[in-house]
Amino acid sequence: MSASRFAEGGRIDRSRALSFTFDGRRMGGFAGDTLASALLANGVMLMGRSFKYHRPRGLMSGGASEPNALVTVGEGSRREPNLRASMVDLHDGLVAESQNRWPSLGFDLGAVNQVLSPFIGAGFYYKTFMWPAALWEKLYEPVIRRAAGLGRATHERDSARYDKRWAHCDLLVIGAGPAGLMAALVAARAGARVIVCDEAAAPGGRLLADRVVIGDTDGPGFADAALGELSGFPKVRVMPRTTVFGWYDSGVFGAVERLDPGKGGATERVWRIVARRAVLATGAEERPIAFGNNDLPGIMTASLVRGLAHSMAIRPGNRVAVFTTGSSGHETARDLAALGVDVAAIVDSRTHVPEGDRAASQGLQVLSGHVVADARGRGVLTGIETIDRASGRRARIEVDALAVSGGFNPVIHLACHRGDKPVWDGGRGMFLPPAARDGLAAAGSAGGVLDLSGCLASGAKAGRDALESLGFPSAHTDIPTVRDAVGGSPGFATLWHVTEAKGKAFVDHQNDVTVEDLGLAVREGYGHVELAKRYTTNGMATDQGKTSNVVAIGILSEARGLTPDQVGTTTFRPFYTPVLIGALAGPHTGPHYRPVRRSPLHAWAEKRGAVFIEAGPWLRVSHFPALGETGWKDACDRETLAVRKTVGLSDASTLGKIDVSGDAAAAFLDLVYTGIMSTLPVGKARYGLMLREDGLVMDDGTVSRFAQDHFVITTTTAAAGEVMAHLEFCAQALWPEMDVNLVSVTDQWAQITVAGPRARDVVARVVADDVSEANFPFLAARPVTLHSGLEGRLFRISFSGELGFELAVPARHGEAVADALMAAGDPFGIVPYGLEALNVLRIEKGFLTHAEIDGRMTPDDLGLSRMVSGKKADFIGRALLGRDGMQREGRIQMVGLVPLDPAGRILAGGHLLNPGASPSMANDQGHVSSSCWSPHLNSTVALAFLKHGRSRLGETIVVWDALRGLETSARIVDPIFLKEVPANPPPLRSHPPVLATADGRSSVIDGLTTGSEKVTRLGILPDAPIGLLIGPGASHSQLELIAAGGDGVARKVAPGQVLAVGKPGEPFGTFAGRLADGLPKRCRLVDLSDGRVRLCLDGERIADVLASQTGIDMGADMVQEGFSQPTLFGHVPGQLTLLAGGVVEILVFSTYARDLAQALRHTIELAEADWAQVKIPGSG
Amino acid sequence: MKYSAVSLLREGLKGNLGWKPVWREPVPKPVYDVIIVGGGGHGLATAYYLAKNHGITNVAVLEKGYLGSGNVGRNTTIVRANYLLEANEPFYSHSLKLWEGLEQELNFNAMMSQRGVINLFHSDGQRDAYARRGNAMRMHGEDADLLTREEVRAHVPFLDFDNPRFPIHGGLMQRRGGTARHDGVAWGYGRAADSRGVDLIQNCEVTGIRREGGRVTGVDTTRGFIGCGRLGLAAAGNSGRVAAMADLRLPIESQVLQAFVSEGIKPFIDQVVTFGAALFYLSQSDKGGLVFGGSLDFYNSYAQRGNLQTVEAVMEAACAMVPAISRVKVLRAWGGVMDMSMDGSPIIDKTPVEGLYLNAGWCYGGFKATPASGWCFAHLLATGEVHPLNAEMRLDRFARGYQIDELGLGAQANLH
Amino acid sequence: MASLIQCPHCGLRPKEEFTIKGDAAPVRPAAGAPPAEWDAYVHLRDNVRGVMTEYWHHAGGCRRWLAVTRDTASHSVAEVRDASEYALRHAETSR
């Protein structure tokens, strides 16, 4: 005896048969089925096993709250455990499997735990498994862990794809039942932007589940009409299969949409919905009653039984009883009887059953004042034992299904996600949502209104109230009349559990928490609702207590002699229902976890076979392997030797470059560096040290002065972002009165280092200016012209300790200039070198990186106290650098180490011990920060930090590295290992000049994929000059006016900062000339033509693509042609501009261009697969 | 009553009706020798060690909510002692040793499980930093191993070793690290303290600190004035507010940190593994849920709830480290209020106010410190002297320039 | 309100576009101020439960520093100003 399918009826499509398997058994269902309804139709009542006692379980409450029918769906990399069978839409070929049973669902050895139940009640594990201590990890815990958990997750990489999108609306309606649909209709008709989310595949809620007559149609008819009308409004979006899982601050809601993976797009999409107002129309869950063996398969909530019968044509059983405390049970009985099901009895705990309910169940046996004490059956329900509470007489009724109703719990979770507590309504025996707040209000059953016409009315009112508060004209909406809805009064009596029960009475079905367990918690002092939850685990299962929390509160209140509101609820938190971690990560996985920055010389290095390594956001060249080399070290040695012997070339483009201008620029730099920069002559560079306000070193770099009021400073690659933000803070928040402009020009310039004795010869062949020692001495920094006519900047600085130049040219020319320099160096045997060689070169000279500047160092620790000016009254960090602890004796100081045995190994991370000292923190003398093999000294050399270091030169110290089994005696030496002044030989007989001519952006857009031609196109706009207008000389509106002189569109970045774009093909000079006329004093136009790439999107559905990238509301009124704002695209910064013809321009930082283009392409693919999907009825 | 398999059997046969309450519900006395503000892990542990190590039992723990309602009940339960600096490592090392005998000491199974903690690294620079840290641990006699990529793979084969952005180069492992059942720790210490005579007073919020002649005399509470000889603050995220009652400003900002648990699944991961490319840490509870967390939300907050953007960032890191986790569902998120100090290290010290003692600044490392924190704070409250194990964890270290900055991030609370 | 911030220059933007520095109440002391003042400026905080002003940086947008006045208990935002405007006014009032 079990469930089956009625010959006709339901909303399933009997013309579309589907085939699926459950535990290997092949079965059939229909389109429109859920896995749960299909299993019932096949007579499968047993769907799972419980967590602790492994009791047989069947479908209980259905929908999102289902605690029992958890299954694993899918295979291999798509395997997903713990899905509620009631929420899985059946599709052809679906593979499902039961969980937490062995060897089989029917025969599960775990069921032995039921015998042990007296000894393994709530919290038993806190009281045992302690002796002997050693056995915990070895025996007890492994056994517990194997027993725990439900489904088994795969360890395979998830092959599904996920998407993420923003949405913005005036009104978000959560739940498309009667109340939600009315609220949406009211708002839609008033012209508001509306989003309706419903977690079911078919929106309608109880309209599809109950037998009702609304106006001149039935529930489904009303729902279809409403959805049809909504689909006609362009500003309305109805999203079925979409669960709103959380309410966050500032009106942000998180939602997850389940898509059809068959289309090759995303399987799920997470939405961040920004809603000005929201209506919570999530309905109510029917409340179970705790009686003996109330967990047997065949026992379901009354509204589930009713809903399955109507919408899925499921006959719950052949002989059905109803156990109710209110009208829902009578309604179910009425409907089953009407469908020809044998209704054995309606057991109603109330002694006085209201007339309306009696009318509903007319002609059926109503046992008023009775309760069901125990259910009977082995593995499946076969009967119930009722008790007449007046006489105490027990009676048996043979049934194979029982519909239970203990009243209703409004679904109020979301309303409580931001800290508000539910409100107990003693009269109605329900926890109601907290007072409406921050634009969210409950309607319909979620607000405690249980009758249909009440729901329709309250939905309409909620919609109207929301709109009025937003200033929309309120349109009157008729509330359709309802006949024949709920049997009678929608009220119910409160009955938490049946005290006469003999068998186990379950409260939390999934975690096997019983009425007894809660009693034990109270006896042991865990009576507080939070402690009881944590001690018994009630409400901590995958259903988060949707069917058990309120019952538990009721039982606790009885046990403690309190009212439910005195007991209070546990905290409601996201997620309303479990959400796939992958869906929340969205597209930001694998290569797109974080964006990659690529130097303008990236493609150039790729062509030369470079090996790249991660360096923060960048991919940088590790080394350039040559034929016959066995590893990075061979290459590193070769590159290092070449630089010292003749000449080498490397890429310095990743260094942070900041353009600093303004009348107060020099004074500003004096405040942020430890040294004095205002005395720096124009055309010269100086080494600079920056402290944090706490007096410790933040970063080092160079400062070059190009004019009285114009500097360019460099930062380390690692600290570039931190330093820029710090300087912006200083300029904007600390000294806003100073006239100083900061512009990052890192992306604008390709910067190439040429180092080695022959560097000058090489540079001289490419640069037209006189670069002789006399004319271009150490620390010279000046604009230069290349033989090719190209303008650049040349710096006579060196991070290798050799004669060195850094040549900066606009990024697009980087590759050509690098090639030219390589050609120019060919006669000298120039080699390109990477980070590994650079690291050796700088260690040999005792230069610093962030391996030394580790955030705990004072200038003196680094041996740089000479760089701290004593003359200045103030600079960042000056005051706190004076603290005792920063100046104390015995701080660690940077020294060099050379192993006594040249072959001895010293690795960074080793600690220092005095010879003979035993290893202990007390004896710790310091640590090694960097080390390398010096091919010049034929020895390992290392930079280290040692207590009193500088006074211990010549002594011997032990490098203790137990982690790697090394203990190496070393001599303490000056950190400059190579003392020789850099060779600076006279130029050789002059070689002919080399012209760097090639043009274009190939190095930047190389590998950029453009989008499909179908709907949305991704492309690159014609190359045009780009300049940033800055300066206090003009008002912002003036700057915008001037900028518009470029291509007609002013791109506002910030107050006093506007991007201007010239005409395609126009040289920057011409462009600057055109704008110069209008340019007031003290305003500058900074060339960023190479610092940005102009990507574009055109075609249809651009808004959908952008919604996956940025939080900007593209539907807002202000977003018209000419709209321009800076924003993040995923994790990538850029400027979004609406050009004529609906074309969207994205000015992306050029070092991010390739990454963003790939991300946009990925998004377009997902979106187009989505558009290809069959449109769901009613979806906007 | 003593907990054991025997008592389980005995009571089970008697229908489990004989179990006694884990602690009394005492009425506050007019005065105590010591009052501890905060009935979380640190406060309860302090009370226990005051009684056990120092014989001081006329002690009250005042808790504004229920016992363990603070961060001890809302963390990712990780226990480890893998610190770099001499000011920290010995303290946490002592804590780990106390953890190892905790169940037997408290007669309460807090399920301390030494499954090993692995910190992944993704670059040579990170490897060197971890090597320096691991050697420091070894110097103090703690266990530490620098694992190669293949050794990590042997432990946790399903990590994304070839992640296109952050390939895994190896890891630093502390085998004796692991996890514990957070609520069990609070309950175990509470029950043990109560059994030694300590009064655990719930639903008792401190509203004022009374002083006479610059000396603390007691506290005003929602249950009236309660006098005390010495007053210890162990109020975690609310430290600043309580200290303000004595006109103290602290080097602390309170910030919200979110943590997450997935639905229960069969054994998925044994160790505690942390990602090196972003703050992310993952383990699995005995109940089957994957427990994980990431960075702060980064703003000052006393609300125990977080932000969706932070949730997404954490899930991105999860998938970058363990691609298979993508197919697991996250069940619940919660927020704790962290007392973020200006250097990321804690404070256990006297204050300028006589009789007022401070235990704060645990950032998000407080759980593992629970035993040692209680041990040292009890010592301070009993003797008035700072314990050698926390000799550097002083309140005035910032003014003196002796900050304890494990990560070298400087004086900005939300960076630690 | 911390999920979205109303940037005075760019409009309503999600949190990921911002980085946060901390309390904006402390004012940088004048050069030569006593050490205690510097210690308080860099280290000591009121850490209020309620309304406070914080420095946020619109790093993913206009790159302006903002002074965000918000409630640390309810997360509601009262005001967002450009940091320059705030600093100029704040420096006067708190001197």
Side-chain angles (χ1 to χ4, degrees), chain B residues 17-54:
Chain B
L17 295 172
W19 294 108
K20 299 275 170 293
V22 271
W23 43 63
R24 300 162 294 129
E25 294 199 351
V27 178
K29 299 185 211 163
V31 61
Y32 291 90
D33 296 342
V34 179
I35 285 179
I36 296 159
V37 180
H42 291 219
L44 294 168
T46 303
Y48 170 74
Y49 291 115
L50 268 174
K52 166 147 188 297
N53 294 2
H54 305 279

Side-chain angles (χ1 to χ4, degrees), chain A residues 81-82 118 126 130 137 141 145 151 155 157-158 523-524 534 573 579 594-595 614 856 883 885 911, chain B residues 16 22 104 109 113-114 132 160 165 181 183 264 268 286 304 316 326 329-330 398 400 405-406:
Chain A
N82 302 344
Y126 294 115
M130 292 179 273
E137 276 97 350
E141 190 180 38
R145 285 172 83 88
H155 277 136
R157 173 186 299 271
D158 185 1
R523 280 200 298 285
E524 293 195 273
R534 291 156 181 262
R573 297 184 180 280
V579 181
R594 288 293 176 266
E614 283 290 336
R856 284 177 292 258
R883 292 177 292 173
H911 283 244
Chain B
N16 290 307
V22 271
Q104 292 68 28
N109 190 352
S113 173
Q114 295 180 287
R132 181 183 167 193
D160 193 5
R165 282 299 272 112
R181 169 84 179 104
D183 290 326
F268 182 86
D286 287 343
Q304 291 176 327
E316 289 168 10
S326 173
K329 290 187 280 303
V330 59
F398 301 94
R400 293 183 295 112
D405 192 341
E406 279 279 329

Side-chain angles (χ1 to χ4, degrees), chain A residues 423-644:
Chain A
V423 181
W424 174 252
D425 180 330
R428 287 186 285 176
M430 292 187 285
F431 277 103
L432 300 178
R437 165 191 170 196
D438 294 346
L440 178 130
S445 307
V449 180
L450 296 181
D451 69 294
L452 180 55
S453 49
C455 286
L456 294 166
S458 100
K461 180 179 186 311
R464 211 163 40 242
D465 293 349
L467 287 194
E468 279 168 10
S469 69
L470 291 174
F472 282 81
S474 69
H476 173 72
T477 307
D478 297 324
I479 310 301
T481 54
V482 174
R483 283 184 290 115
D484 195 10
V486 183
S489 84
F492 55 85
T494 300
L495 176 64
W496 306 116
H497 68 114
V498 177
T499 47
E500 300 91 333
K502 291 180 186 155
K504 278 197 180 329
F506 287 89
V507 179
D508 185 320
H509 286 237
Q510 192 179 131
N511 271 356
D512 282 338
V513 180
T514 64
V515 175
E516 270 187 338
D517 291 324
L518 290 164
L520 176 64
V522 172
R523 280 200 298 285
E524 293 195 273
Y526 300 102
H528 187 289
V529 66
E530 284 283 355
L531 292 175
K533 164 194 167 185
R534 291 156 181 262
Y535 189 63
T536 64
T537 74
N538 189 90
M540 291 171 75
T542 64
D543 61 339
Q544 288 284 283
K546 289 185 176 59
T547 57
S548 63
N549 283 348
V550 175
V551 176
I553 289 165
I555 292 167
L556 289 173
S557 67
E558 283 182 5
R560 295 171 58 196
L562 303 170
T563 59
D565 54 324
Q566 288 169 321
V567 170
T569 57
T570 54
T571 311
F572 291 86
R573 297 184 180 280
F575 302 83
Y576 170 63
T577 53
V579 181
L580 276 180
I581 290 171
L584 286 161
H588 299 295
T589 57
H592 295 295
Y593 167 55
R594 288 293 176 266
V596 182
R597 287 185 86 171
R598 290 178 176 83
S599 153
L601 292 179
H602 187 90
W604 174 84
E606 273 176 330
K607 287 179 198 145
R608 290 174 179 269
V611 173
F612 293 90
I613 55 168
E614 283 290 336
W618 297 92
L619 278 177
R620 298 183 66 184
V621 175
S622 159
H623 59 283
F624 293 87
L627 249 70
E629 289 176 343
T630 57
W632 69 269
K633 188 165 178 317
D634 292 358
C636 178
D637 289 350
R638 173 179 49 79
E639 294 169 12
T640 308
L641 289 164
V643 172
R644 298 251 184 256

Side-chain angles (χ1 to χ4, degrees), chain A residues 659-664 707 709-710 739-743 1027-1043 1054-1058 1060 1068 1072-1073 1075-1087:
Chain A
D659 185 291
V660 184
S661 66
D663 291 351
D709 62 353
H710 183 207
D739 166 17
V740 55
N741 310 303
L742 302 163
V743 181
L1028 182 69
L1029 281 158
I1030 49 168
S1035 73
H1036 184 80
S1037 49
Q1038 269 176 289
L1039 290 178
E1040 288 195 307
L1041 203 67
I1042 301 163
Q1057 291 200 8
V1058 184
F1068 184 81
L1075 269 53
D1077 316 336
L1079 208 61
K1081 267 204 179 54
R1082 294 168 61 208
C1083 287
R1084 296 182 53 239
L1085 181 69
V1086 181
D1087 184 359

